[in-house]
Amino acid sequence: MGLIAWIKEFFARRKRKPVLGLALGSGGAKGLAHLGALKAFEEEGISFSVVTGASVGAIVGALYAKGYSSADMVGIVEGLNRREFSKNLHPFADLSFAERFLSPYLEGDISSLPKPFAAWATDAKTNVGLPLKEGNIARVLTASAAIPPFFRAVEIDRRKLYDGAFSNAVPADLCKEMGADLVIGIDLSAFLRKEEEKSVLGRLVGNALNYVMPVKYTEDCRSRGYAFADVMLRPNLHDHSATDISFAAMNAMFEIGYREAKERMPEIRQAIEEATRRVRKAKIKQTRKRDPQKKGSRV
């Protein structure tokens, strides 16, 4: 290999960076922890090129893919009419109110987003999960977040869809399929209350709801994300509810997400360094495979 060609290959190898993916999990109001984690990433100068999400994770992910900062998203949440939102929390409510709320912030189709993005939903008929990579953004997000019994299914392409959490709570596998070399996942439900911690009434209500649910949780809906995430953040939201939209609770959940990301930052940095080495080695191998004469070249 000539000197000029070697220099070009050297710097091309140095510039190659891993594609970072972010997979955001479901959890309702606990999604404020996602915003806290995003603030920590912003402070560390870490940005993501591919984003996926389920339920509230899909909403936050779409906003991120659009270009909103964590502070922007906090402002959107603060602008939510809580009284109006609470009125719509009744059995199998129509999610058109949420679609109207999201539309001004996320107008147009998924293809218009600056970053690759996909939401995850669950088919009401088959109970099988599926990625939503195209279509009207606001409508796709409501389908991914339509958790029964609070909301009815959202219809897209003649399919009735429910919350993605039933089949893939943290869609890290989808993030990898979309080209991410490394995926950071955030599981908002890592510290759910155990059955014995719930009141008798709470257990009875839970059992009754499970009986009438139009979709069921798949066996691997929670573990699936862990198999594909290189780092899984697990903010401890044990003491918080997915339906608590009080300012005090949201501030607390934001802070918990922020602290979890900050405390795990050394692990995240190491994972990024390892991914960088992997992709650069793969680049060298690919280059030499195309040009066999370079196999014996100096590196």
Side-chain angles (χ1 to χ4, degrees):
M1 181 192 299
L3 179 61
I4 294 176
W6 180 83
I7 292 173
K8 285 182 178 179
E9 181 182 311
F10 176 80
F11 282 104
R13 195 166 67 242
R14 295 280 293 178
K15 289 180 181 178
R16 176 70 168 94
K17 294 182 179 180
V19 176
L20 302 187
L22 180 65
L24 301 175
S26 61
K30 295 179 183 180
L32 266 294
H34 285 325
L35 306 192
L38 289 178
K39 179 185 177 183
F41 291 133
E42 289 165 0
E43 290 178 352
E44 297 288 335
I46 296 174
S47 61
F48 299 90
S49 302
V50 180
V51 192
T52 61
S55 197
V56 71
I59 296 173
V60 174
L63 289 167
Y64 181 86
K66 180 73 173 180
Y68 290 98
S69 68
S70 61
D72 294 331
M73 295 184 216
V74 169
I76 291 172
V77 173
E78 290 176 345
L80 176 67
N81 187 324
R82 286 164 176 73
R83 181 175 296 180
E84 188 65 28
F85 182 83
S86 298
K87 285 180 182 178
N88 287 283
L89 287 179
H90 57 79
F92 297 101
D94 189 320
L95 268 169
S96 57
F97 78 95
E99 188 174 338
R100 289 193 299 272
F101 174 76
L102 291 169
S103 291
Y105 304 103
L106 294 161
E107 72 282 359
D109 290 348
I110 289 177
S111 60
S112 68
L113 292 172
K115 295 177 184 286
F117 166 79
W120 193 268
T122 306
D123 190 302
K125 185 177 181 180
T126 64
N127 210 94
V128 173
L130 70 156
L132 301 175
K133 300 179 180 179
E134 56 186 26
N136 179 270
I137 304 170
R139 188 158 188 81
V140 162
L141 297 181
T142 58
S144 181
I147 184 166
F150 295 112
F151 307 116
R152 70 179 66 167
V154 174
E155 188 169 325
I156 296 179
D157 295 333
R158 297 183 180 180
R159 275 178 151 170
K160 290 185 177 180
L161 304 176
Y162 278 110
D163 199 301
F166 286 95
S167 52
N168 196 356
V170 188
D173 53 339
L174 178 58
C175 215
K176 281 277 174 76
E177 288 174 14
M178 293 172 63
D181 296 309
L182 176 145
V183 177
I184 307 297
I186 305 181
D187 181 6
L188 302 180
S189 303
F191 295 91
L192 291 174
R193 291 184 181 181
K194 298 177 181 178
E195 282 299 311
E196 57 267 26
E197 295 178 343
K198 299 177 183 178
S199 66
V200 174
L201 179 60
R203 277 178 279 178
L204 288 172
V205 171
N207 290 334
L209 289 177
N210 288 334
Y211 183 76
V212 300
M213 282 289 196
V215 282
K216 307 295 181 184
Y217 288 103
T218 60
E219 187 176 347
D220 65 344
C221 66
R222 297 198 184 283
S223 60
R224 187 169 172 174
Y226 283 80
F228 291 89
D230 296 274
V231 178
M232 183 68 79
L233 301 187
R234 304 169 74 245
N236 190 342
L237 301 166
H238 175 274
D239 296 328
H240 296 278
S241 166
T243 57
D244 193 346
I245 56 174
S246 67
F247 281 113
M250 290 196 297
N251 287 337
M253 290 186 282
F254 180 97
E255 184 61 27
I256 290 170
Y258 175 80
R259 287 202 309 269
E260 170 70 2
K262 279 291 192 180
E263 289 170 4
R264 301 282 298 280
M265 203 56 69
E267 181 184 351
I268 293 169
R269 290 285 187 193
Q270 182 179 352
I272 293 174
E273 288 176 8
E274 290 173 356
T276 301
R277 287 194 289 270
R278 285 199 308 270
V279 298
R280 287 178 180 172
K281 286 181 180 179
K283 179 68 174 178
I284 295 170
K285 188 175 181 180
Q286 184 182 33
T287 301
R288 291 180 176 176
K289 190 174 182 180
R290 287 198 304 265
D291 186 354
Q293 291 182 350
K294 293 182 180 180
K295 285 185 178 180
S297 302
R298 188 178 65 172
V299 178

Short mmCIF file of all heavy atoms in Angstrom, two decimals, residues 92-95 122 124 139 142-143 146-148 151-156 159-163 214:
data_model
loop_
_atom_site.label_atom_id
_atom_site.label_comp_id
_atom_site.label_asym_id
_atom_site.label_seq_id
_atom_site.Cartn_x
_atom_site.Cartn_y
_atom_site.Cartn_z
N PHE A 92 -61.45 2.35 28.53
CA PHE A 92 -61.46 2.31 27.07
C PHE A 92 -61.84 3.64 26.43
O PHE A 92 -62.69 3.73 25.57
CB PHE A 92 -62.36 1.18 26.59
CG PHE A 92 -61.87 -0.17 27.02
CD1 PHE A 92 -62.45 -0.83 28.11
CD2 PHE A 92 -60.78 -0.76 26.38
CE1 PHE A 92 -61.96 -2.06 28.53
CE2 PHE A 92 -60.30 -2.00 26.79
CZ PHE A 92 -60.89 -2.66 27.88
N ALA A 93 -61.15 4.68 26.89
CA ALA A 93 -61.34 6.01 26.32
C ALA A 93 -60.71 6.10 24.94
O ALA A 93 -59.75 5.38 24.62
CB ALA A 93 -60.72 7.07 27.24
N ASP A 94 -61.23 6.99 24.12
CA ASP A 94 -60.68 7.24 22.79
C ASP A 94 -59.43 8.11 22.94
O ASP A 94 -59.47 9.13 23.63
CB ASP A 94 -61.73 7.96 21.94
CG ASP A 94 -61.33 8.05 20.48
OD1 ASP A 94 -60.14 8.30 20.21
OD2 ASP A 94 -62.20 7.90 19.61
N LEU A 95 -58.34 7.72 22.28
CA LEU A 95 -57.08 8.45 22.42
C LEU A 95 -56.94 9.61 21.43
O LEU A 95 -55.85 10.16 21.28
CB LEU A 95 -55.90 7.50 22.24
CG LEU A 95 -55.37 6.88 23.54
CD1 LEU A 95 -54.39 5.76 23.23
CD2 LEU A 95 -54.72 7.93 24.42
N THR A 122 -48.72 -3.58 19.91
CA THR A 122 -49.17 -4.97 20.02
C THR A 122 -50.49 -5.15 19.29
O THR A 122 -51.44 -4.39 19.53
CB THR A 122 -49.33 -5.39 21.49
OG1 THR A 122 -48.12 -5.13 22.21
CG2 THR A 122 -49.67 -6.87 21.61
N ALA A 124 -54.01 -6.40 18.50
CA ALA A 124 -55.11 -6.86 19.36
C ALA A 124 -55.61 -8.24 18.95
O ALA A 124 -56.06 -9.02 19.80
CB ALA A 124 -56.26 -5.87 19.31
N ARG A 139 -50.45 9.62 15.49
CA ARG A 139 -51.33 8.45 15.54
C ARG A 139 -50.54 7.19 15.91
O ARG A 139 -51.01 6.36 16.69
CB ARG A 139 -52.05 8.26 14.21
CG ARG A 139 -53.12 7.16 14.30
CD ARG A 139 -54.15 7.32 13.20
NE ARG A 139 -55.26 6.40 13.39
CZ ARG A 139 -56.27 6.60 14.22
NH1 ARG A 139 -56.32 7.70 14.95
NH2 ARG A 139 -57.25 5.72 14.33
N THR A 142 -49.97 7.16 19.65
CA THR A 142 -51.14 6.78 20.46
C THR A 142 -51.37 5.27 20.39
O THR A 142 -51.79 4.67 21.39
CB THR A 142 -52.41 7.53 20.00
OG1 THR A 142 -52.67 7.25 18.62
CG2 THR A 142 -52.28 9.02 20.19
N ALA A 143 -51.08 4.66 19.25
CA ALA A 143 -51.23 3.20 19.13
C ALA A 143 -50.24 2.50 20.07
O ALA A 143 -50.58 1.54 20.75
CB ALA A 143 -51.00 2.76 17.69
N ALA A 146 -51.55 2.88 23.78
CA ALA A 146 -52.95 2.58 24.09
C ALA A 146 -53.06 1.41 25.06
O ALA A 146 -53.30 0.27 24.68
CB ALA A 146 -53.72 2.27 22.80
N ILE A 147 -52.90 1.71 26.33
CA ILE A 147 -52.91 0.64 27.32
C ILE A 147 -54.33 0.43 27.85
O ILE A 147 -54.96 1.34 28.39
CB ILE A 147 -51.94 0.92 28.47
CG1 ILE A 147 -51.89 -0.26 29.44
CG2 ILE A 147 -52.27 2.23 29.20
CD1 ILE A 147 -50.73 -0.23 30.41
N PRO A 148 -54.86 -0.79 27.69
CA PRO A 148 -56.17 -1.08 28.27
C PRO A 148 -56.01 -1.33 29.77
O PRO A 148 -54.92 -1.70 30.22
CB PRO A 148 -56.58 -2.36 27.54
CG PRO A 148 -55.28 -3.03 27.19
CD PRO A 148 -54.32 -1.91 26.93
N PHE A 151 -57.52 2.89 27.78
CA PHE A 151 -57.77 3.36 26.41
C PHE A 151 -58.17 2.21 25.49
O PHE A 151 -57.75 1.07 25.69
CB PHE A 151 -56.52 4.05 25.86
CG PHE A 151 -56.00 5.13 26.75
CD1 PHE A 151 -54.74 5.03 27.34
CD2 PHE A 151 -56.76 6.26 27.03
CE1 PHE A 151 -54.26 6.02 28.18
CE2 PHE A 151 -56.30 7.26 27.86
CZ PHE A 151 -55.04 7.14 28.44
N ARG A 152 -58.92 2.54 24.48
CA ARG A 152 -59.29 1.56 23.47
C ARG A 152 -58.18 1.45 22.42
O ARG A 152 -57.28 2.29 22.38
CB ARG A 152 -60.61 1.94 22.80
CG ARG A 152 -60.52 3.15 21.90
CD ARG A 152 -61.84 3.49 21.23
NE ARG A 152 -62.83 3.93 22.19
CZ ARG A 152 -63.98 4.52 21.89
NH1 ARG A 152 -64.28 4.74 20.61
NH2 ARG A 152 -64.82 4.88 22.82
N ALA A 153 -58.26 0.43 21.62
CA ALA A 153 -57.25 0.21 20.58
C ALA A 153 -57.28 1.35 19.57
O ALA A 153 -58.30 2.00 19.35
CB ALA A 153 -57.51 -1.12 19.88
N VAL A 154 -56.12 1.59 18.95
CA VAL A 154 -55.99 2.58 17.88
C VAL A 154 -55.85 1.81 16.57
O VAL A 154 -55.03 0.90 16.47
CB VAL A 154 -54.77 3.49 18.11
CG1 VAL A 154 -54.56 4.41 16.90
CG2 VAL A 154 -54.96 4.31 19.39
N GLU A 155 -56.65 2.18 15.59
CA GLU A 155 -56.62 1.45 14.32
C GLU A 155 -55.66 2.10 13.32
O GLU A 155 -55.73 3.29 13.05
CB GLU A 155 -58.02 1.39 13.72
CG GLU A 155 -58.11 0.47 12.51
CD GLU A 155 -59.54 0.20 12.07
OE1 GLU A 155 -60.43 0.09 12.94
OE2 GLU A 155 -59.76 0.10 10.85
N ILE A 156 -54.76 1.28 12.79
CA ILE A 156 -53.83 1.70 11.75
C ILE A 156 -53.77 0.59 10.70
O ILE A 156 -53.50 -0.57 11.04
CB ILE A 156 -52.41 1.96 12.32
CG1 ILE A 156 -52.44 3.13 13.30
CG2 ILE A 156 -51.42 2.25 11.19
CD1 ILE A 156 -51.09 3.44 13.93
N ARG A 159 -55.67 -2.53 11.34
CA ARG A 159 -55.25 -3.32 12.49
C ARG A 159 -55.57 -2.56 13.76
O ARG A 159 -55.28 -1.35 13.85
CB ARG A 159 -53.74 -3.57 12.45
CG ARG A 159 -53.30 -4.75 11.64
CD ARG A 159 -51.79 -4.82 11.65
NE ARG A 159 -51.30 -6.18 11.49
CZ ARG A 159 -50.05 -6.50 11.29
NH1 ARG A 159 -49.13 -5.55 11.24
NH2 ARG A 159 -49.68 -7.74 11.15
N LYS A 160 -56.12 -3.22 14.75
CA LYS A 160 -56.35 -2.61 16.04
C LYS A 160 -55.12 -2.87 16.91
O LYS A 160 -54.76 -4.02 17.15
CB LYS A 160 -57.61 -3.18 16.68
CG LYS A 160 -58.89 -2.74 15.96
CD LYS A 160 -60.13 -3.22 16.68
CE LYS A 160 -61.39 -2.69 15.98
NZ LYS A 160 -62.64 -3.13 16.66
N LEU A 161 -54.52 -1.78 17.35
CA LEU A 161 -53.26 -1.88 18.07
C LEU A 161 -53.36 -1.36 19.49
O LEU A 161 -54.07 -0.39 19.77
CB LEU A 161 -52.17 -1.10 17.32
CG LEU A 161 -51.95 -1.49 15.85
CD1 LEU A 161 -50.93 -0.57 15.21
CD2 LEU A 161 -51.52 -2.95 15.74
N TYR A 162 -52.62 -2.04 20.37
CA TYR A 162 -52.54 -1.64 21.78
C TYR A 162 -51.08 -1.36 22.16
O TYR A 162 -50.16 -1.49 21.35
CB TYR A 162 -53.11 -2.74 22.67
CG TYR A 162 -54.62 -2.72 22.79
CD1 TYR A 162 -55.39 -3.72 22.20
CD2 TYR A 162 -55.29 -1.71 23.49
CE1 TYR A 162 -56.78 -3.73 22.31
CE2 TYR A 162 -56.67 -1.70 23.60
CZ TYR A 162 -57.41 -2.70 23.01
OH TYR A 162 -58.79 -2.69 23.12
N ASP A 163 -50.91 -1.01 23.41
CA ASP A 163 -49.61 -0.65 23.98
C ASP A 163 -48.52 -1.67 23.66
O ASP A 163 -48.71 -2.88 23.80
CB ASP A 163 -49.78 -0.54 25.51
CG ASP A 163 -48.68 0.25 26.16
OD1 ASP A 163 -47.51 -0.16 26.02
OD2 ASP A 163 -48.98 1.27 26.79
N PRO A 214 -57.96 -7.15 26.60
CA PRO A 214 -58.04 -7.61 25.21
C PRO A 214 -56.71 -8.13 24.67
O PRO A 214 -56.67 -8.80 23.65
CB PRO A 214 -58.48 -6.35 24.45
CG PRO A 214 -57.98 -5.23 25.29
CD PRO A 214 -58.09 -5.69 26.71
#
